[in-house]
Amino acid sequence: LTPRAVQIAPGQSIFVTCIEGCSQQSWAYLAHDCRPGKGIYATAGFESAGTDTWKLTFDASGLTPGDTYRLCTDLDGEGNTTALPAGDSGLFVYASGIVATAPRSTVGPDLSVLKLECSGGCSPVSSVFITTAETCD
C-alpha cells in the first residue's frame, strides 16, 4: 500500500499490489469495520497501474482527520456476493488533516521551524512527530 495516508480531500489515490483476484470490476472502500452494514466512508474502483499494481482513487473529503480506516475490498465487484464477499484486506489507511508543509525539507542538525496547514482536526494541542521510518507507530 502506497502511500499509507490520504489527505481530507477529493481525488486521493493509493496504490495496492494484488497478485491474484483483482480486476477492473473489483472495488474497495474505507471503513472502520469491513462487515456489511457497518458504514462505508469512501469507495473506489480498481484501475490498472501496471503488473499486479492497482490504483484506487477515493473522495476522502468525508473522512475524519486523525482516524485510521481499514481498506476493505470486494474483488468480484460491488453487490456480487455469490462468489467473493467483501472483506478486510488487512491494510490500513490514515486520514491526515495536514494538507501542506513549509519548508518541504530541512537540511542539517540545527533547529528548523516547520509550518503545517490543516484541513481540520488540528488544534493547539496537536502533536507532530518526524521520523525516517515508514510508519509512525
Side-chain angles (χ1 to χ4, degrees), residues 19-114:
I19 297 170
E20 185 178 344
C22 295
S23 71
Q24 299 284 346
Q25 287 73 43
S26 301
W27 76 290
Y29 58 98
L30 299 176
H32 291 119
D33 187 329
C34 292
R35 293 178 292 176
K38 294 293 182 177
I40 295 174
Y41 296 93
T43 62
F46 277 56
E47 179 184 337
S48 180
T51 305
D52 299 333
T53 302
W54 298 88
K55 179 181 178 181
L56 311 175
T57 302
F58 294 95
D59 178 354
S61 57
L63 301 182
T64 302
D67 273 8
T68 299
Y69 294 86
R70 293 179 176 280
L71 178 64
C72 311
T73 59
D74 190 348
L75 298 183
D76 61 353
E78 181 180 9
N80 184 355
T81 58
T82 57
L84 298 170
D88 194 331
S89 70
L91 301 173
F92 296 90
V93 176
Y94 177 73
S96 175
I98 298 172
V99 295
T101 61
R104 303 243 342 132
S105 63
T106 60
V107 179
D110 297 332
L111 182 64
S112 297
V113 175
L114 181 65

Side-chain angles (χ1 to χ4, degrees), residues 4-24:
R4 296 175 188 255
V6 295
Q7 294 178 347
I8 308 299
Q12 297 299 296
S13 296
I14 60 174
F15 294 85
V16 296
T17 300
C18 180
I19 297 170
E20 185 178 344
C22 295
S23 71
Q24 299 284 346

